Amino acid sequence: MKTKGALLWEPGTQSGWSVEEIELDPPKATEATVKLAASGICHSDDHLDTGDIPLDWAPILGGHEGAGVVTEVGTHVADLEVGDHVVCSFLPSCGKCSMCVAGKANMCTLGAGVLAGTSPDGTHRIRARGQGVGAMSYLGTFAPYVTVPTDALVKIDKDIPLDKAALIGCGVPTGWGSTMYAADLQLGDVVVVFGVGGVGMNAVQGARHRGAKAIIAVDPVDYKRERAPEFGATHTAATAAEAAQLVEHMTNGQGADRVVITVGVAHGSILEPAQAMTRRGGVLVLTAAAPVLQRDVQFDMFTFAMSGKRLQGTLYGSTNARNDIPLIADLYRRGEMKLDELVTRTYALEDINTAFQDLREGKNIRGVIVYD
Ligand SMILES: NC(=O)c1ccc[n+]([C@@H]2O[C@H](COP(=O)([O-])OP(=O)(O)OC[C@H]3O[C@@H](n4cnc5c(N)ncnc54)[C@H](O)[C@@H]3O)[C@@H](O)[C@H]2O)c1
Ligand SMILES: [Zn+2]
Ligand SMILES: [Zn+2]
């Protein structure tokens, strides 16, 4: 079908997104086509434009945080039917590989190829200007329709509003899982979250679910600090130094039990202040994407080793999409998880460059593109 999508023709050059006509194929045997209700604006797509995540192929159809209604299924799809409501998961889970069966679906072998520039079978579902187009995370949710592997689709109940459910495709589980699972947070912990945007605000929500005693949200943007208490933050700080002082005071100089980094771009200078405020034996979680080519970081390795701290990287907040997406949807339904409040502003696809400008300026917790 002919539809439209937001493409980067020259990733890494900050040239912005071009909204234009695309040709989308119908689903192959194990795929489905989904009519999307909305797509979140996650910082990871901006990394493609800035070059923090370099690509050696183009063009790319962006977007990896969507939800919608299935309109067509391939011949071998048994677990989804037309009319089902689904969240597009930014990482697929095949359910068969050793990581999937070990309950680590975020490490599914299929996920390793999400930035390869084609569908898992090596072909394109999208064309523009007569050329094959790769899709972000096999998805490409910056388009009103997507044709994707069903391994990347998770069914949800029909009473969950799809425009909010879209956020459960990346930012919400990534942040929430960063404290729920990756940080191994314990009841009564003192937690620091660096960067409370679309991901970090959910790290705050996860810390609240786990029963943290104090949750310190660190963000240089006033608006983010003003909103953080709504999601469970007990304290806020504008800088790492301010946060360190709070932690020192609150813990009698012991340090925070858990520190989570969810800033927009993880520059090498952030690791040291974060580890310095982590207590002996504590856990420091790195969720934020660093510039891929960055190799220099500041890090006091001696103290780190001698105080038995743990540095934990995490993809997708160490969640299992097929379990955690419906779980988060249910928490939302029961009023235990805030999704509506995450959406600061909605945009038409045509205004996508304004949406990314607003992301860079810190105006939104989440900006969301809505389709008719
Ligand atoms: N590991 C994963 O699986 C995964 C998944 C999704 C997103 N991400 C990454 O997580 C990061 C956050 O994404 P997002 O969509 O929430 O971005 P965002 O732009 O919505 O939020 C980032 C926040 O960090 C704040 N910030 C910037 N520098 C800071 C600093 N030095 N100290 C404290 N706060 C600072 C910003 O003001 C902003 O509020 C990005 O790097 C993104 O690529 C990782
Ligand atoms: Zn994302
Ligand atoms: Zn798998």
Side-chain angles (χ1 to χ4, degrees):
M1 73 167 91
K2 283 199 190 329
T3 178
K4 59 185 175 178
L7 274 61
L8 287 179
W9 285 88
E10 293 178 84
T13 61
Q14 306 218 32
S15 51
W17 300 86
S18 163
V19 179
E20 55 190 88
E21 186 179 276
I22 59 172
E23 178 77 35
L24 183 72
D25 286 349
K28 289 197 178 177
T30 58
E31 298 174 348
T33 298
V34 179
K35 182 181 190 310
L36 294 178
S39 171
I41 300 280
C42 175
H43 210 117
S44 299
D45 286 294
D46 197 43
H47 295 316
L48 305 173
D49 191 20
T50 61
D52 283 330
I53 299 179
L55 292 179
D56 57 6
W57 51 270
I60 180 167
L61 170 63
H64 62 279
E65 204 179 72
V69 180
V70 174
T71 56
E72 197 177 344
V73 295
T75 50
H76 289 63
V77 175
D79 55 344
L80 282 178
E81 55 190 48
V82 171
D84 279 347
H85 287 201
V86 289
V87 169
C88 300
S89 171
F90 94 94
L91 287 173
S93 60
C94 71
K96 298 179 201 112
C97 74
S98 60
M99 285 293 151
C100 278
V101 298
K104 297 181 167 63
N106 66 322
M107 296 279 108
C108 173
T109 49
L110 260 185
V114 292
L115 279 176
T118 63
S119 293
D121 70 358
T123 63
H124 290 114
R125 295 296 165 275
I126 310 147
R127 272 169 307 283
R129 304 184 200 175
Q131 226 172 293
V133 175
M136 174 65 159
S137 280
Y138 298 139
L139 300 174
T141 59
F142 293 161
Y145 287 87
V146 292
T147 295
V148 298
T150 53
D151 288 338
L153 297 176
V154 179
K155 194 167 150 178
I156 55 165
D157 292 337
K158 289 183 178 166
D159 63 325
I160 306 294
L162 285 167
D163 55 336
K164 309 302 183 313
L167 306 189
I168 318 178
C170 176
V172 172
T174 298
W176 180 82
S178 294
T179 38
M180 276 297 286
Y181 302 132
D184 187 26
L185 204 132
Q186 305 293 308
L187 187 65
D189 274 354
V190 171
V191 186
V192 180
V193 178
F194 272 91
V196 280
V199 174
M201 216 54 106
N202 296 296
V204 169
Q205 298 210 72
R208 187 170 47 83
H209 283 163
R210 274 268 164 153
K213 177 170 70 184
I215 305 169
I216 303 167
V218 190
D219 205 296
V221 176
D222 295 347
Y223 174 68
K224 303 292 172 73
R225 295 199 306 281
E226 279 160 23
R227 296 287 312 273
E230 251 178 80
F231 297 88
T234 56
H235 300 75
T236 60
T239 63
E242 229 181 81
Q245 258 187 350
L246 273 172
V247 167
E248 164 114 14
H249 177 70
M250 220 178 267
T251 65
N252 246 337
Q254 301 284 305
D257 301 287
R258 302 291 185 263
V259 177
V260 178
I261 301 177
T262 45
V263 298
V265 184
H267 294 296
S269 55
I270 196 164
L271 222 41
E272 182 47 30
Q275 86 104 3
M277 72 175 74
T278 307
R279 71 156 162 81
R280 290 161 64 82
V283 182
L284 171 57
V285 174
L286 179 58
T287 307
V292 169
L293 301 176
Q294 172 180 272
R295 291 295 176 271
D296 293 331
V297 296
Q298 288 165 22
F299 200 70
D300 173 355
M301 291 166 62
F302 180 82
T303 304
F304 178 75
M306 300 309 153
S307 51
K309 301 180 192 184
R310 176 149 66 89
L311 176 59
Q312 177 70 55
T314 184
L315 185 63
Y316 216 170
S318 310
T319 54
N320 280 294
R322 285 190 195 287
N323 183 59
D324 289 308
I325 288 176
L327 171 60
I328 289 170
D330 186 52
L331 287 169
Y332 166 78
R333 179 194 284 124
R334 292 193 277 124
E336 303 272 321
M337 186 85 189
K338 293 185 193 297
L339 299 183
D340 299 351
E341 295 81 352
L342 292 170
V343 181
T344 314
R345 189 174 164 192
T346 59
Y347 303 83
L349 183 62
E350 286 69 18
D351 297 325
I352 191 163
N353 288 306
T354 309
F356 275 102
Q357 194 54 42
D358 290 349
L359 172 112
R360 289 179 189 182
E361 290 172 10
K363 288 187 179 164
N364 297 334
I365 299 172
R366 227 2 158 221
V368 174
I369 295 189
V370 288
Y371 302 111
D372 335 312

